[in-house]
Amino acid sequence: MSEQSPYDAVLREAADHLREATDTGWQRAQQAVMRSVLTTLKPSQPVRGHSEVAPYLISSAVVIGLLREYLDATRELRTMRVAVATDDEQDLAGITLVVSVTFPRSVTRTAQVARERALAALSAALGERAVAVPIEIDVIVADVHPEASL
Amino acid sequence: MSDEGSDAELVRLARLGNRRAFEGLVTRHGPALYRYGKRMVHDDGATQDCVQETFITAWTSIEHFREESSVKTWLFGIMANKVRREFRRSARQVVVPVQETDLVTDLGPASRAQAAGLLQALERALRTLPTDQRACWILREVEGLTYQQIAEVQAITAGSVRGKLSRARESLGRKLEDWR
């Protein structure tokens, strides 16, 4: 705000009051907004899983959520992004894991851990048969973070 | 890498499907988006719709958020589009007087009455501004966005933001003369 304006103080005070206040309309609307947003499905693609009885389809969003849980359970890394690719039959073709590695852990070792955890998650989501065939798992180390920040 | 509970961390988790993390973003940024929307469209129902659609858009497209801007700027950018669409949808702008009880503050009764009076004067003054000046003033002075961030939100140049803000301040200041 320009220091020369004679209106600076009153405008600043008015803006402060507005910023510190909460609209009662928001208090009334908050729950409805939250409910509406959280029941909206994110765009996703079906991925074929294989139980002992029959094949089934599972949302890629669920697979990604499970991958995140498995990967973030280890202290070596933190998941940043996950992409899932399927073939024409909706069978899993490969996944890409973008991770941040905990410093000063070994990047090579962390990439291996990421692959092992990802395979465990995929086996849980899609069945052992789905991961019996080779699945391309690309691990991209995009960042590092200190151990203390975990 | 971000700290637990930061916007960046909530976005990271929400991008991976964590709804509770996205809930954190709604709780954190909802009041500011609502405050902005209410001063732009002057209607609680329309404001709620704009905020709701903003968060739905953010939730379903969060994979595309590239962190080149802050989460706040990104959300305000979506919100500004919803407000513009609301303007196109309905040219009418219902004028609803601001009551003291429309806003909740932590002030005591006397200070609260004083603040409410100033706020009502501000609300009346804001209504007289052209919408682009009003948007720029709220985003800068109330929400604390930089000129460049406002330019992104409003899809105009930073120089244009500067000009609109200058005119908005002059106009608002004159209308709040009695409160100096």
Side-chain angles (χ1 to χ4, degrees):
Chain A
M1 190 173 287
S2 164
E3 290 306 318
Q4 279 116 25
S5 169
Y7 307 122
D8 283 356
V10 71
L11 286 179
R12 193 177 299 121
E13 184 185 352
D16 287 346
H17 285 319
L18 185 52
R19 190 183 317 108
E20 287 158 11
T22 303
D23 286 282
T24 54
W26 167 249
Q27 294 180 326
R28 288 192 296 271
Q30 184 173 4
Q31 289 310 313
V33 170
M34 200 79 88
R35 211 168 29 248
S36 168
V37 170
L38 297 182
T39 53
T40 300
L41 294 176
K42 295 178 88 168
S44 64
Q45 63 198 85
V47 185
R48 189 175 301 280
H50 299 272
S51 74
E52 290 178 4
V53 182
Y56 58 92
L57 294 174
I58 184 169
S59 158
S60 61
V62 175
V63 175
I64 290 171
L66 203 59
L67 281 162
R68 193 262 305 170
E69 279 183 30
Y70 272 67
L71 290 164
D72 282 358
T74 170
R75 294 182 65 82
E76 271 99 342
L77 62 94
R78 191 180 281 173
T79 322
M80 295 173 73
R81 290 171 190 267
V82 177
V84 171
T86 55
D87 62 19
D88 293 343
E89 303 295 318
Q90 296 168 324
D91 281 317
L92 184 68
I95 60 170
T96 302
L97 309 172
V98 182
V99 301
S100 173
V101 173
T102 307
F103 183 81
R105 309 271 177 129
S106 155
V107 173
T108 312
R109 167 71 189 143
T110 300
Q112 184 55 34
V113 168
R115 284 199 172 83
E116 289 166 4
R117 304 291 302 182
L119 276 174
L122 292 172
S123 177
L126 305 172
E128 286 183 16
R129 210 180 119 192
V131 295
V133 293
I135 294 171
E136 197 167 314
I137 302 177
D138 290 327
V139 180
I140 300 172
V141 178
D143 203 355
V144 293
H145 59 272
E147 180 114 47
S149 75
L150 278 173
Chain B
M1 205 70 191
S2 50
D3 296 328
E4 191 175 340
S6 68
D7 274 355
E9 177 65 359
L10 293 177
V11 165
R12 178 185 81 83
L13 292 169
R15 189 179 275 148
L16 294 165
N18 187 321
R19 287 170 190 263
R20 189 165 293 278
F22 194 80
E23 212 174 304
L25 292 173
V26 174
T27 302
R28 181 172 297 163
H29 296 288
L33 293 177
Y34 194 96
R35 182 164 52 230
Y36 169 79
K38 181 74 185 289
R39 271 83 212 166
M40 296 306 292
V41 302
H42 303 305
D43 177 76
D44 276 318
T47 303
Q48 179 175 332
D49 288 347
C50 288
V51 174
Q52 188 165 299
E53 288 169 19
T54 294
F55 281 120
I56 287 175
T57 299
W59 170 246
T60 54
S61 63
I62 200 162
E63 284 75 12
H64 306 300
F65 173 58
R66 287 288 175 257
E67 288 134 34
E68 286 153 3
S69 59
S70 71
V71 173
K72 187 174 183 178
T73 306
W74 177 56
L75 289 173
F76 267 110
I78 300 172
M79 180 71 182
N81 280 331
K82 305 296 180 190
V83 166
R84 278 192 282 272
R85 201 183 62 181
E86 174 62 22
F87 282 151
R88 286 197 297 273
R89 193 188 66 78
S90 169
R92 72 182 164 77
Q93 289 196 27
V94 182
V95 178
V96 183
V98 178
Q99 303 297 323
E100 192 185 334
T101 50
D102 277 353
L103 296 162
V104 179
T105 71
D106 294 329
L107 301 170
S111 301
R112 187 178 171 191
Q114 165 86 3
L118 178 55
L119 269 173
Q120 287 191 37
L122 174 65
E123 301 265 19
R124 281 193 295 272
L126 280 171
R127 283 165 199 258
T128 65
L129 290 182
T131 52
D132 52 352
Q133 288 183 31
R134 196 187 322 153
C136 288
W137 188 84
I138 293 170
L139 291 172
R140 174 70 196 133
E141 306 300 348
V142 181
E143 306 307 338
L145 270 59
T146 64
Y147 285 20
Q148 189 53 46
Q149 288 172 326
I150 297 169
E152 283 175 39
V153 169
Q154 296 294 103
I156 55 179
T157 64
S160 181
V161 170
R162 194 178 301 276
K164 290 178 195 303
L165 265 174
S166 175
R167 289 192 291 279
R169 284 170 182 151
E170 182 66 23
S171 177
L172 289 175
R174 272 190 274 107
K175 290 189 170 68
L176 296 182
E177 181 88 54
D178 293 344
W179 291 87
R180 286 173 61 199

